[in-house]
């Protein structure tokens, strides 16, 4: 189907109806990073990170807009000079006619949001509910809790989760008896160790998230908390991209506008290899 272009302002309006910026944490930096609101948009690329390889893909494809989960300037800046990689991202996008938009913690707590997509990717079925509901709307919030179709050993669940997530250099890490039966699962896309106590209080069997640190994880397990599965930060957020792309194109289609949306499959996880990959003695 031929794309019918709309303005960037129209796309941003749809994005912000789906992922209201007011839902973002106070420290976050969401919204339009660069781009002329009146420019035409025909192609939209969705990615987790606003990094060089994503810019390469966007410009090579002819994207008019890049929507990323992570903000480019989370802590603010006084310069967009091309002397830094972030400045070069801005310069290259502007020269290439592509805008940049970020939906971060406002997408984390949306209904559906980042953790809904993660929950489905690792095999949870049925209704999902927030692990930490938002005060103003209990249907929204951080993380999700759901159930597997049937109980299974923790080791089998970890393998199921690994098969549902995009592949990265490192494997999933597991804390708990691999034979322990699990069915009720909590997930949180991205760094979720601030929710360890919440997952324990929720009485789930296992909590899957990313960026778990040694001491919080160790203390959690010593307190007889649910089993833990620690995945790549990038991998736990990547499943949301396809859902966001579908929701945006559907919202625009309801206005009679057709745009082409694409999900970047560039693996932008920070970790690119393990010693097993690099050590010639392992082959």
């Amino acid at each position: 189907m031929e794309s019918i272009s709309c303005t960037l302002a129209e796309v941003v309006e749809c994005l912000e109806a789906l992922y209201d910026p007011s839902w973002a944490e106070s420290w976050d930096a969401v919204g339009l990073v660069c781009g002329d609101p009146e420019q035409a948009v025909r192609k939209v690329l969705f990615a987790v990170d606003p990094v060089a390889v994503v810019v390469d893909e966007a410009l090579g494809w002819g994207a008019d807009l890049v929507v990323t989960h992570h903000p480019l300037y989370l802590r603010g800046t006084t310069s967009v000079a091309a002397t830094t990689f972030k400045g070069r991202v801005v310069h290259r996008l502007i020269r290439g006619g592509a805008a940049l938009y970020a939906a971060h913690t406002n997408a984390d707590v949306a209904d559906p949001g980042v953790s809904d997509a993660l929950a489905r990717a690792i095999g949870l079925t049925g209704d999902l509910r927030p692990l930490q509901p938002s005060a103003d709307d209990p249907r929204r919030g951080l993380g999700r809790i759901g159930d597997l179709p049937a109980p299974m050993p923790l080791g089998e669940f970890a393998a199921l989760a690994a098969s549902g997530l995009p592949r990265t250099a490192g494997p999933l890490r597991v804390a708990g008896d691999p034979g322990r039966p699990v069915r009720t699962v909590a997930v949180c896309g991205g760094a979720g160790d601030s929710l360890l106590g919440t997952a324990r209080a929720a009485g789930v069997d296992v909590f899957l998230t990313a960026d778990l640190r040694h001491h919080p994880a160790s203390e959690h397990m010593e307190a007889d908390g649910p089993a833990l599965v620690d995945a790549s930060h990038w991998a736990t957020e990547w499943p949301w991209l396809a859902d966001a792309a579908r929701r945006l194109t559907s919202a625009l289609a309801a206005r009679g506008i057709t745009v082409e949306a694409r999900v970047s499959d560039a693996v932008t996880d920070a970790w690119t290899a393990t010693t097993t990959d690099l050590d010639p003695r392992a082959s």
Side-chain angles (χ1 to χ4, degrees):
M1 184 181 296
E2 184 178 353
S3 296
I4 302 172
S5 69
C6 57
T7 66
L8 175 59
E10 289 176 292
V11 178
V12 168
E13 184 180 355
C14 282
L15 282 167
E16 295 189 346
L18 297 170
Y19 310 109
D20 191 327
S22 70
W23 300 340
E25 296 290 338
S26 59
W27 49 262
D28 204 0
V30 302
L32 191 62
V33 179
C34 65
D36 180 349
E38 297 306 311
Q39 76 181 68
V41 173
R42 297 177 180 83
K43 292 182 175 183
V44 184
L45 179 70
F46 285 79
V48 174
D49 297 298
V51 293
V53 67
V54 170
V55 176
D56 291 342
E57 182 178 355
L59 299 183
W61 181 50
D64 307 296
L65 170 62
V66 180
V67 177
T68 61
H69 182 49
H70 292 146
L72 181 64
Y73 289 107
L74 182 59
R75 293 178 176 83
T77 186
T78 59
S79 170
V80 294
T83 52
T84 66
F85 94 84
K86 293 187 178 186
R88 288 190 290 275
V89 164
V90 172
H91 279 254
R92 291 186 63 205
L93 288 171
I94 292 174
R95 283 199 304 267
L100 176 62
Y101 185 94
H104 192 209
T105 54
N106 50 327
D108 286 333
V109 300
D111 175 30
V114 171
S115 291
D116 295 271
L118 171 60
R120 298 308 186 200
I122 65 166
L124 302 192
T125 59
D127 293 335
L128 301 173
R129 63 186 188 277
L131 174 59
Q132 181 176 288
S134 296
D136 60 337
D137 184 350
R139 296 170 300 175
R140 297 188 296 99
L142 289 173
R144 290 295 182 271
I145 298 174
D147 292 314
L148 295 163
M152 63 180 65
L154 173 62
E156 185 179 333
F157 166 71
L160 175 67
S163 69
L165 294 175
R167 190 177 182 86
T168 56
L172 274 61
R173 301 186 300 176
V174 180
D177 179 355
R180 171 181 181 170
V182 299
R183 182 166 194 180
T184 302
V185 181
V187 302
C188 180
D193 65 5
S194 66
L195 297 175
L196 285 170
T198 307
R200 188 162 58 246
V204 301
D205 300 314
V206 57
F207 179 36
L208 182 149
T209 188
D211 297 348
L212 288 175
R213 295 171 295 155
H214 171 79
H215 292 295
S218 175
E219 292 167 8
H220 168 87
M221 296 305 295
E222 288 294 321
D224 294 323
L228 299 175
V229 178
D230 184 43
S232 151
H233 189 121
W234 171 85
T236 62
E237 295 175 331
W238 187 85
W240 169 74
L241 303 179
D243 183 62
R246 283 192 298 269
R247 297 188 75 204
L248 176 63
T249 54
S250 294
L252 289 169
R255 299 185 178 196
I257 299 168
T258 303
V259 297
E260 188 175 355
R262 172 170 160 178
V263 171
S264 173
D265 58 4
V267 178
T268 56
D269 189 61
W271 311 110
T272 58
T274 67
T275 53
T276 301
D277 302 317
L278 299 174
D279 188 348
R281 294 171 299 179
S283 60

